[in-house]
Amino acid sequence: MTSKFLKLTGLTMALFAMGTGAAHAEYPEHPITLVVPFAAGGPTDVVARSLGAELGKILNQPIVVENKTGAGGTVAAGYVANAKPDGYTYFLHHNGMATAPALYNNLRFDPLNSFEYVGEVVDVPMTLLARADFPPNNLQEFIEYAKKNGDTINLANAGPGAVSQLCGSLLQQAVDTKFTTIPFQGTGPAMTALLGKQVDILCDQTTQTIPHIDAKTVKFYGVTTKDRISKLPDAPTLDEQGLKGFDFKVWHGIYAPKGTPEPVITKFNTALKEALKSEPFQKKMADLGAEIVSEERQTPESLKNWVDAEIKKWSPILKAEGMNVN
Ligand code: MLT
């Protein structure tokens, strides 16, 4: 009788504990996936993994980075837009979110209606690089060489929708020539090809290029922003070397599938703000020339307004240039 009573009490208590646990379970209860639209080891991946490490500590759950490559980031965007809106799938993407509608006809997502916005993360300048044994030694020599040799020059990029592609297109216009483009699944593999001297030039983010510039394993022709950057104070910009008006940098934001509950987004956004303040993330980004965005920009509203403005800015330009790939 006593042992039966004890068994029943134990069972009741176990069920109660489960019930209580479920009622009080706090998000997040298991690992969170952070989707990256380009190859592992590249510049977007570096930001995602550094940020994920800090978010994981704050949220007490691992952040698992998943690289879903293809079609300049649009495969990953379509995947996230159609993922379960349960707070366990997020997406780190850059300018490609806003350029995609002008470049592709049949997207599985709408940048303004398929996502919940979490906040902006970092801005990253780009750099123009060439393989170590490419003949031009500086931008002036490169411009002359490019005007004469145009399509014999192989420009590596990560496909339409990638910032390496957009930067390369702006460069073609500025120099008034046409390169032969070689697309990769991200600029991680594009950089490997540049180091292996299989391609000639690459326009890529400092979050990947600074270690190679420092090690002088590539030729470095300049920075794509209007002003010099504090990480490379001696490096001239493309603008100051003659490509007047050249001013391009990469912005990054975090998204979740549309319908992700508001309290979940708020919790993730609070964690994001804390992660952006953390010493390891700040140091890593500073070492790689990336600038953490101001607090006003770390909000869902700011990211949504920015994506909207960028779509309006880039769509007419890309359409006028005939850059649609369908
Ligand atoms: C990457 O992470 O591979 C790059 O951001 C791709 C790109 O150039 O957009």
Side-chain angles (χ1 to χ4, degrees):
M1 178 73 175
T2 314
S3 77
K4 197 171 170 191
F5 171 74
L6 280 176
K7 262 188 206 156
L8 271 173
T9 312
L11 180 65
T12 314
M13 281 173 74
L15 284 171
F16 178 73
M18 275 171 65
T20 313
H24 289 242
E26 275 221 13
Y27 166 84
E29 294 178 88
H30 59 78
I32 290 172
T33 298
L34 180 58
V35 175
V36 167
F38 299 104
T44 316
D45 186 69
V46 165
V47 173
R49 285 176 200 272
S50 312
L51 185 64
E54 299 311 312
L55 284 169
K57 286 183 217 162
I58 296 161
L59 290 167
N60 241 346
Q61 287 290 346
I63 307 293
V64 181
V65 172
E66 194 176 324
N67 301 86
K68 264 202 182 298
T69 65
T74 59
V75 168
Y79 168 80
V80 174
N82 293 285
K84 206 167 161 191
D86 58 1
Y88 290 93
T89 304
Y90 291 89
F91 185 36
L92 178 73
H93 199 9
H94 59 31
N95 312 48
M97 181 62 101
T99 55
L103 298 174
Y104 295 89
N105 290 341
N106 298 309
L107 293 174
R108 288 179 67 223
F109 67 96
D110 169 355
L112 291 175
N113 292 304
S114 303
F115 302 99
E116 302 296 340
Y117 299 80
V118 178
E120 296 185 69
V121 180
V122 284
D123 289 336
V124 186
M126 298 190 86
T127 47
L128 178 60
L129 309 178
R131 61 181 156 82
D133 57 354
F134 197 50
N137 288 310
N138 54 45
L139 188 72
Q140 277 316 316
E141 289 181 18
F142 171 72
I143 292 171
E144 279 169 39
Y145 186 91
K147 282 184 187 296
K148 284 193 205 120
N149 296 288
D151 63 5
T152 67
I153 299 172
N154 288 327
L155 165 83
N157 68 27
V163 286
S164 46
Q165 199 253 7
L166 189 49
C167 180
S169 300
L170 296 173
L171 185 66
Q172 287 186 153
Q173 283 167 26
V175 178
D176 192 19
T177 190
K178 262 277 176 279
F179 307 121
T180 297
T181 54
I182 314 283
F184 292 82
Q185 296 293 304
T187 53
M191 177 61 84
T192 304
L194 191 76
L195 295 170
K197 302 177 180 130
Q198 289 134 15
V199 294
D200 299 321
I201 57 170
L202 170 67
C203 190
D204 197 16
Q205 299 175 64
T206 58
T207 31
Q208 166 157 263
T209 63
I210 281 188
H212 302 290
I213 291 170
D214 286 348
K216 297 193 173 15
T217 46
V218 289
K219 281 190 178 170
F220 171 37
Y221 296 148
V223 179
T224 64
T225 45
K226 177 90 170 56
D227 299 314
R228 290 189 182 200
I229 60 169
S230 53
K231 181 63 193 167
L232 299 169
D234 300 328
T237 66
L238 301 183
D239 173 272
E240 75 184 77
Q241 295 180 90
L243 298 183
K244 283 283 155 231
F246 207 108
D247 185 16
F248 186 67
K249 73 176 164 194
V250 185
W251 48 270
H252 298 76
I254 295 195
Y255 308 81
K258 186 85 182 170
T260 305
E262 205 263 338
V264 164
I265 296 289
T266 302
K267 181 152 190 189
F268 201 82
N269 175 264
T270 305
L272 172 66
K273 287 176 172 160
E274 202 178 323
L276 296 181
K277 281 200 196 82
S278 70
E279 202 268 330
F281 186 70
Q282 295 217 341
K283 180 169 182 336
K284 179 89 178 176
M285 292 301 104
D287 287 349
L288 296 177
E291 200 180 308
I292 294 169
V293 300
S294 64
E295 279 186 35
E296 303 82 74
R297 290 179 56 194
Q298 297 168 13
T299 63
E301 301 72 35
S302 175
L303 178 58
K304 182 162 191 182
N305 291 338
W306 182 247
V307 171
D308 190 20
E310 284 283 283
I311 292 173
K312 291 190 175 107
K313 173 180 169 182
W314 285 102
S315 294
I317 299 172
L318 299 174
K319 283 180 185 156
E321 289 299 319
M323 285 176 67
N324 186 288
V325 289
N326 291 113

